[in-house]
Amino acid sequence: MPIATKISAPAPRPKRRKVLWLAALAATAALGGLAYVVTGGQNTVDEGLQERQMACSEAMYAMGWVLPDHTTDQRCTELSGGLAGHTQSGTFRMPRAEARPWLASLSGERVQPDGVGSDSVVERKEGLALGVLRPPGSLQADEVRVDLRWEGEETAVVTFETFDY
């Protein structure tokens, strides 16, 4: 009786395994780079970017100011983190008769555009405006712009936005 011999396939060469492993690694890196480009790197660059609703009184307090009495329809937002720095914006309504005295009471270094009064409040047909550099509160904004638009004889719509340059 003949003796059976076991014939087996030759073992894969170690060099071929290394080439396949390197090819898989290169493909993974290429796909990861493509994913980064497609998403704009948002998960990495803007990871901490957060927007949140906040009370307008809290926003005013952060600037070292007080929200005027008798406000309605308050909508204020804070945007922080990432490339945005830290900014706040908002809008609310207030009595028109109280608008100029409130604007004049806001503390901070005033932007002095040409042709404005000593209180730096800009008067326009449609309302009032004021720019304040570096408000005194805890929010370290470089500038705050406040615009008031007349809404009828009784009401003014206030819009503000902070800028962190």
Side-chain angles (χ1 to χ4, degrees), residues 5-161:
T5 57
K6 185 176 182 181
I7 301 176
S8 60
R13 291 181 272 169
K15 186 176 182 182
R16 185 171 180 182
R17 270 192 222 157
K18 188 175 185 180
V19 169
L20 289 174
W21 185 82
L22 288 174
L25 182 63
T28 302
L31 289 174
L34 180 62
Y36 180 84
V37 169
V38 168
T39 63
Q42 291 175 350
N43 290 339
T44 315
V45 176
D46 291 338
E47 190 173 279
L49 186 63
Q50 294 186 2
E51 180 177 355
R52 75 171 181 96
Q53 298 297 314
M54 66 186 309
C56 289
S57 59
E58 180 185 354
M60 292 288 125
Y61 182 79
M63 291 182 277
W65 301 342
V66 175
L67 185 69
D69 292 332
H70 311 108
T71 60
T72 60
D73 303 323
Q74 299 176 24
R75 290 183 197 97
C76 293
T77 304
E78 176 181 56
L79 185 64
S80 62
L83 300 175
H86 189 95
T87 62
Q88 295 177 346
S89 61
T91 184
F92 54 87
R93 287 180 168 74
M94 68 179 294
R96 181 174 173 166
E98 298 172 13
R100 186 176 184 97
W102 176 72
L103 272 183
S105 76
L106 300 179
S107 56
E109 181 184 335
R110 305 295 179 98
V111 175
Q112 295 283 340
D114 292 334
V116 298
S118 62
D119 61 5
S120 303
V121 175
V122 177
E123 290 191 39
R124 300 179 302 215
K125 180 181 175 184
E126 65 275 2
L128 304 171
L130 176 67
V132 176
L133 301 175
R134 293 172 295 287
S138 61
L139 178 68
Q140 296 186 4
D142 293 310
E143 183 178 358
V144 181
R145 294 181 195 154
V146 184
D147 288 301
L148 283 91
R149 182 179 44 84
W150 304 136
E151 187 179 70
E153 294 296 318
E154 300 291 319
T155 309
V157 177
V158 178
T159 303
F160 72 90
E161 186 171 8

